[in-house]
Structure formats: C-alpha cells, structure tokens
Amino acid sequence: MADQYSAADVAAMSPDELAWASAKTLFDREPAAQDMGIEIITMSAGKAELKMTVQHRMLNGHATCHGGYLFALADTAFAYACNSRNQNTVAAGCSIEYLAPGREGDVLRAVAEERSLAGRTGCYDISVFNQDETLLALFRGKSYKIRGAVIEGSED
C-alpha cells in the first residue's frame, strides 16, 4: 500500500504533524496493533500516547491481562515515539517491570517519552496506566536509527 503523503507534504509538516503522519503510516501497515484494538491518542516529536481495552481473549490463567499484551502496548508506544520524526528506527533492546495487573474491560494507556537521542541511538520510558491512573507497568526501550523514512518516498 502506498503512503498517502508526498515528499512535498512531508517537507511542509510541523514536527507534531510529522509525528501524527508517521504514526498513522505505521499503524496502517501494522495488523498486530489493529488486531489488539490499539488507538493513537496523542503524538508529538519523541512522544506517543496510545490506548487499548483489555479484552477477554487477552486474559491469562489468573484472569488478568497477559503480560505479553501489556508489553505489546508499551512496545507499540515506544515504536511510534522513536519513529515520530519519520526516520526508520528499530528497537535495540527493551525491558519491562510489571507493577499491578490489568483486568478485563480496563482501558490501558501507554505514555512514551524520549529521554535521550544522540546520533543513531535513543532511550525511551513508557508508563502503562489503567483508567484509574494506576501504574501497571514501566517499560524502557533503547532505539537504533536505520536507513530510510517511515513515509516511503519522503527521504532526503
């Protein structure tokens, strides 16, 4: 599927518009995030906020949200934050700390914030909350910039 933005469109975008366009482009080609019901709440350069509702199929044997889904939500927010400048960026490593369980029907919110960006590498902290603002998980991701742009055809 071709991206919906021309190189001229991309060049004219503000940093926040570019972050939204990059996130939309990633989301449109990411069936995993779509299948989990992830939604983009806010985007800006180096930041992303996403949400997801815990569905019955996401529960583990303890009737709480499987840690893999918490990780996937946090990882997706990390990906959108580190790709927000339309530069192809991948994970170089990440870790998560589970602090409290998610429950069926909870609306989870992942907030990703860039902590460091130098050369090809970056460091991002992602916090996952439920609808009551209970902190469920802390995720840290390290990124590595590779060749190319998120929005195809917009490379310099």
Side-chain angles (χ1 to χ4, degrees), residues 1-20:
M1 169 166 83
D3 292 328
Q4 60 188 358
Y5 307 102
S6 70
D9 292 337
V10 171
M13 289 180 185
S14 71
D16 287 352
E17 289 169 334
L18 184 59
W20 273 104

Side-chain angles (χ1 to χ4, degrees), residues 108-121:
L108 307 184
R109 184 171 55 90
V111 179
E113 298 180 272
E114 187 175 85
R115 297 294 182 213
S116 172
L117 187 61
R120 291 182 170 266
T121 62

Side-chain angles (χ1 to χ4, degrees), residues 20 23 27 37-44 47-52 73 77 80 107-111 129 133:
W20 273 104
F27 186 82
I38 291 175
E39 298 176 42
I40 304 166
I41 300 171
T42 61
M43 285 297 309
S44 59
K47 296 182 181 181
E49 186 174 348
L50 309 179
K51 73 177 180 177
M52 174 185 82
L73 174 62
Y80 289 12
V107 178
L108 307 184
R109 184 171 55 90
V111 179
F129 302 92
E133 294 301 311

